[in-house]
Amino acid sequence: MTDTHCPYCSLQCGMTLLRRGRSVLEVAAREFPVNEGALCRKGWTSTGLRGSRERLTTPLVRSRETGEWSVLTWDEALDLVASRLAALREEHGADANAVFGGGGLTNEKAYQLGKFARVALGTSRIDYNGRWCMSSAATAANQAFGLDRGLPFPLADVEQAEVVVLVGSNLAETMPPAARHLDRLRARGGRVVVVDPRRTPTADHADVFLQPVPGTDLALALGLLHLVDASGAVDESYVATRTTGFDAVRSTAAAWWPERVERITGVAAADLRSLATVLTSSKRVVVLTARGAEQHADGTATVLAWIDLALALGLPGRPYAGYGCLTGQGNGQGGREHGQKADQLPGYRMIDDPDARAHVASVWGVPPESLPGKGLSAYELLSAIGTPLGPRSLLVFGSNPVVSAPNATAVASRLRALDLLVVCDLVMSETAALADVVLPVTQWAEETGTMTNLEGRVVLRQQAVTPPAGVRSDLEVIAALAVRLGAASTWSTDPEEVFAELGLASAGGRADYAGITYARIREEDGVFWPCPSPSHPGTPRMFALSFPTTDGRARFVPVSYDGPAEPLDGTFDVHLTTGRVLAQYQSGAQTRRIRDLPDDGPFVELHPLLAVRLGARDGEPVTVTTRRGSLTAPARVVGTIRPDTVFVPFHWVGANRLTSDALDPSSRMPEFKVCACAVTVPALVGAR
Ligand SMILES: Nc1nc2c(c(=O)[nH]1)N[C@H]1C(S)=C(S)[C@@H](COP(=O)(O)OP(=O)(O)OC[C@H]3O[C@@H](n4cnc5c(=O)[nH]c(N)nc54)[C@H](O)[C@@H]3O)O[C@H]1N2
Ligand SMILES: Nc1nc2c(c(=O)[nH]1)N[C@H]1C(S)=C(S)[C@@H](COP(=O)(O)OP(=O)(O)OC[C@H]3O[C@@H](n4cnc5c(=O)[nH]c(N)nc54)[C@H](O)[C@@H]3O)O[C@H]1N2
Ligand code: SF4
Ligand SMILES: [Mo]
């Protein structure tokens, strides 16, 4: 019996793994503060990939001539990869090699991968899929609060709020056990507000539901701030003592009267007014954003607009109130703190800060000037492949960009243009299938490591079973390559040792883990960072007295509304948005291989009015076309989506052939959540 956590989302539900016989593992629920014994069906079925014939168990190399795979020994594979990396560096410079990480990797792996890129490869080119996840919220929170921790309070705090506003979150399907906190809030008389272009299962449980046009959340927030100010409900003393910059924000909001907001968002002025009244008549309001609001080319500005509203109401730092982002991947939070992001070093330090460089270099035992500078963001990194100074090799750990990257056809063709693509994975993902070398790695139940959940709580996943013969852990792969590359520093393969080193490297940084140990995590149901010393209790709640900015105050940041990067026109006259369904996870590389989960996509969700206009019928194919590609899939005709919008889940190849690669100017988040499309019925096109 081993206590651990689910391999998937940022809730990191506690579970117990029970061994049956030599290798069969069964999941049992476990009491843990975020899930209290509940799991979603992905959690219940998570051991389904263990015995699967789909597991990779030997290194493979693919012939460029025939496309055939052949088996290599580990020594052959590692020698091959290391020698090619060294040769590319020799010929084209250190930045010829690039690394792409993942927010599902443990803290130890994320840390070691960042160190490997900077020390063993000497490349600036490392980034990860978290860039496509919560980077807009992270950028906004850093600007406004001086710190980015998804939730600055434990999730269960929302039960004590009076109002919870969910902007672009479908948590009933994306973190189902979390919905119980909202149910309890409502049982206590509190209210839940949901803002989503689709009436999702989350919206079904809401007291107030607003259904805006995709990509207009920023205008909605400005409209709410306008009404809050007009009703005299701004918390003036909070604004005066705890913030700076309100005047500019106030004057921007003055121009966003409800009827103007209605014209842009499609949300009736009366509905906006009643929501404003709900907000101004409550003290304990929690505003939470998720990908629906954030995955836009103005995602950072949109989050800032909602934070501005929260600050005007005096919420951040007040008990059972505030702003938070619902981080997504299992280690979405820790994954962005320890150095696999192009501009960061461990402890949420910035790579262009001389003190940060000196500190981290001293832990690594290398000269600070040997560390490269800031690299390219995830999509920019992939798009640079094939350009004269672009990456010539890419090492992928924990991501499947052929399915999950925006404008994925272009990304796949960039990957084909590499001299060397190496993918470490559990299964032959769509990205691994394009690789030159595939290295099979252990998965969660077969190894130990820490994850930082959406609350900033560091939890411990413990090894429950021996890995299948032939696979190695990511830490072993990284260390073996580093040694072959003659890298300076030490490269432990023991997770607990790596975690202790991470603690030292993070010490004094914004995300300080120095006081956290595996023993403490086991004893305390996880430890919240910052936790600078063994005697420090950890920090479940933040901002009560001050903000970690230079003057201790939060910043209002003025933002303006420009609308989606791709407005509708005569040809592309419907909004396309994308997202998730309950039973599949991300690119589907893992969950599509689990037999007990329905694999029934992709599909195109559309409104009966649109279906009638097109002559589309439920269950029959429709074609969605954008400026980048097209997808034909069965229609799901539902009254729950806006008539001007279609929704396609991204867990199957196809959705991202359609999506736009317009990037947010500061977070570099792609606009996954809205672009312009044309919807047609294939049979009718033929008949015309
Ligand atoms: N089942 C399942 N759960 C998951 C995951 C998974 O793949 N599957 N992935 C995990 C990860 S990494 C993440 S990031 C989280 C994501 O969790 P969520 O953010 O809850 O998931 P999404 O489905 O991407 O988007 C949420 C909602 O945004 C809405 N939306 C679309 N466009 C807009 C818009 O312009 N404005 C607003 N307000 N809403 C909009 C969509 O209709 C959708 O219902 O889920 C985590 N949990
Ligand atoms: N259209 C559209 N596209 C989206 C989104 C959207 O809402 N709409 N959401 C975006 C978001 S929020 C996210 S987070 C991304 C996620 O998209 P991806 O980055 O593709 O995420 P995963 O499918 O989780 O990919 C993880 C891969 O790593 C493997 N893996 C799992 N654990 C490990 C490990 O420990 N080590 C190694 N080496 N490999 C491992 C898995 O088998 C899988 O192949 O997609 C983004 N793409
Ligand atoms: S909600 Fe997330 S962490 Fe919990 S069981 Fe489901 S996928 Fe796993
Ligand atoms: Mo995500």
Side-chain angles (χ1 to χ4, degrees):
M1 240 176 64
T2 309
D3 284 346
T4 188
H5 296 266
C6 174
Y8 303 120
C9 87
S10 62
L11 207 52
Q12 283 302 290
C13 294
M15 58 166 63
T16 300
L17 293 176
L18 309 170
R19 277 180 71 162
R20 298 262 179 267
R22 271 188 48 228
S23 69
V24 176
L25 269 190
E26 255 175 41
V27 176
R30 174 161 78 96
E31 285 296 320
F32 196 74
V34 286
N35 64 310
E36 299 172 340
L39 296 172
C40 81
R41 67 175 96 145
K42 297 185 300 302
W44 285 119
T45 56
S46 54
T47 57
L49 200 52
R50 280 213 62 260
S52 164
R53 294 218 310 261
E54 306 241 20
R55 261 316 270 291
L56 297 168
T57 52
T58 174
L60 296 169
V61 63
R62 190 172 57 93
S63 148
R64 287 252 169 153
E65 283 72 46
T66 63
E68 305 262 302
W69 292 98
S70 2
V71 169
L72 294 181
T73 66
W74 270 100
D75 277 339
E76 286 167 344
L78 293 165
D79 288 345
L80 172 70
V81 172
S83 65
R84 303 241 3 230
L85 294 172
L88 286 168
R89 180 178 186 167
E90 182 70 32
E91 196 177 337
H92 303 284
D95 273 354
N97 294 316
V99 179
F100 200 92
L105 302 177
T106 60
N107 287 313
E108 292 78 357
K109 295 178 186 185
Y111 166 81
Q112 202 78 325
L113 199 57
K115 177 176 168 183
F116 175 79
R118 274 68 175 238
V119 176
L121 296 176
T123 182
S124 71
R125 288 177 172 164
I126 174 167
D127 213 60
Y128 78 124
N129 64 13
R131 189 68 79 158
W132 301 337
C133 187
M134 59 326 101
S135 63
S136 289
T139 305
N142 276 321
Q143 284 181 32
F145 306 129
L147 184 119
D148 149 43
R149 199 183 83 185
L151 295 183
F153 42 73
L155 181 65
D157 274 16
V158 305
E159 292 178 16
Q160 311 297 324
E162 289 164 88
V163 180
V164 172
V165 185
L166 293 167
V167 194
S169 158
N170 180 14
L171 64 70
E173 292 193 273
T174 54
M175 24 196 89
R180 66 186 40 229
H181 297 297
L182 299 181
D183 293 342
R184 287 210 194 109
L185 159 86
R186 296 182 67 228
R188 290 180 48 259
R191 282 179 282 185
V192 176
V193 179
V194 170
V195 181
D196 196 307
R198 302 185 304 139
R199 183 155 45 74
T200 58
T202 311
D204 281 340
H205 292 278
D207 303 275
V208 179
F209 171 49
L210 303 186
Q211 196 166 16
V213 175
T216 62
D217 302 85
L218 199 168
L220 199 70
L222 285 170
L224 287 168
L225 183 53
H226 175 100
L227 289 168
V228 166
D229 197 17
S231 68
V234 168
D235 186 336
E236 301 287 354
S237 80
Y238 178 95
V239 168
T241 56
R242 301 220 43 196
T243 72
T244 61
F246 183 50
D247 291 346
V249 167
R250 176 173 252 166
S251 61
T252 312
W256 287 90
W257 56 93
E259 290 71 20
R260 182 179 176 202
V261 175
E262 174 175 326
R263 194 167 46 76
I264 287 173
T265 63
V267 172
D271 292 346
L272 199 68
R273 286 198 176 89
S274 49
L275 176 54
T277 308
V278 168
L279 299 180
T280 55
S281 58
S282 317
K283 278 263 165 255
R284 301 190 305 275
V285 177
V286 173
V287 177
L288 299 174
T289 62
R291 301 312 81 76
E294 299 163 10
Q295 288 174 324
H296 292 278
D298 63 356
T300 304
T302 299
V303 174
L304 284 167
W306 287 90
I307 292 177
D308 286 343
L309 174 69
L311 289 171
L313 290 165
L315 306 175
R318 188 185 283 173
Y320 311 116
Y323 163 80
C325 147
L326 294 163
T327 290
Q329 297 182 79
N331 198 26
Q333 181 70 47
R336 67 188 189 254
E337 296 165 358
H338 299 299
Q340 61 174 335
K341 195 158 169 261
D343 54 355
Q344 280 175 208
L345 289 173
Y348 222 125
R349 289 184 156 90
M350 303 319 288
I351 202 163
D352 49 11
D353 167 3
D355 293 341
R357 294 170 67 85
H359 171 80
V360 174
S362 78
V363 175
W364 289 349
V366 299
E369 58 281 6
S370 71
L371 300 180
K374 205 165 148 175
L376 298 170
S377 79
Y379 186 76
E380 292 165 300
L381 176 70
L382 299 179
S383 340
I385 297 167
T387 62
L389 296 176
R392 289 173 172 265
S393 84
L394 186 70
L395 304 182
V396 180
F397 286 78
S399 181
N400 186 12
V402 167
V403 178
S404 57
N407 193 9
T409 311
V411 166
S413 85
R414 294 300 82 215
L415 295 178
R416 287 193 188 91
L418 284 163
D419 293 1
L420 175 69
L421 174 61
V422 180
V423 175
C424 292
D425 208 305
L426 334 166
V427 292
M428 189 58 93
S429 70
E430 288 76 1
T431 306
L434 295 186
D436 298 290
V437 180
V438 176
L439 301 175
V441 292
T442 46
Q443 64 166 320
W444 106 114
E446 300 155 2
E447 58 184 20
T448 293
T450 62
M451 309 286 282
T452 304
N453 82 348
L454 78 171
E455 311 167 283
R457 186 199 301 260
V458 184
V459 304
L460 183 62
R461 284 185 183 167
Q462 310 196 88
Q463 181 175 356
V465 70
T466 317
V471 305
R472 294 198 181 173
S473 75
D474 291 292
L475 290 180
E476 287 170 332
V477 173
I478 294 170
L481 289 175
V483 168
R484 280 171 173 76
L485 289 163
S489 197
T490 51
W491 301 90
S492 174
T493 56
D494 174 57
E496 194 161 2
E497 269 177 32
V498 177
F499 188 74
E501 187 185 310
L502 176 164
L504 294 177
S506 77
R510 281 188 271 180
D512 191 330
Y513 283 44
I516 309 180
T517 59
Y518 281 17
R520 275 192 71 177
I521 301 175
R522 284 192 192 99
E523 280 156 26
E524 300 173 30
D525 272 352
V527 181
F528 290 81
W529 70 258
C531 179
S533 69
S535 58
H536 189 284
T539 314
R541 297 179 182 81
M542 305 179 118
F543 312 148
L545 301 174
S546 72
F547 294 94
T549 51
T550 43
D551 57 5
R553 290 163 178 248
R555 311 260 178 272
F556 277 97
V557 182
V559 292
S560 59
Y561 175 76
D562 298 324
E566 214 174 65
L568 300 188
D569 59 24
T571 311
F572 300 105
D573 57 352
V574 175
H575 301 286
L576 166 68
T577 190
T578 60
R580 295 162 166 80
V581 298
L582 171 57
Q584 292 293 329
Y585 190 68
Q586 311 280 63
S587 73
Q590 297 168 90
T591 44
R592 278 185 278 119
R593 291 178 163 86
I594 291 183
R595 270 176 307 200
D596 289 340
L597 292 175
D599 180 2
D600 53 358
F603 56 83
V604 180
E605 198 178 279
L606 75 166
H607 192 274
L609 287 174
L610 180 59
V612 167
R613 172 159 82 77
L614 302 170
R617 274 194 282 202
D618 190 51
E620 292 184 4
V622 288
T623 301
V624 180
T625 307
T626 68
R627 289 183 174 81
R628 293 150 295 277
S630 77
L631 166 74
T632 300
R636 276 204 192 164
V637 180
V638 294
T640 47
I641 189 167
R642 287 183 59 92
D644 57 6
T645 303
V646 295
F647 168 85
V648 182
F650 84 101
H651 311 293
W652 294 268
V653 172
N656 275 320
R657 292 187 180 149
L658 306 171
T659 49
S660 156
D661 56 8
L663 300 184
D664 180 287
S666 38
S667 67
R668 319 311 279 166
M669 166 71 87
E671 191 141 74
F672 285 121
K673 284 292 190 271
V674 65
C675 67
C677 73
V679 190
T680 50
V681 175
L684 291 183
V685 170
R688 263 183 209 143

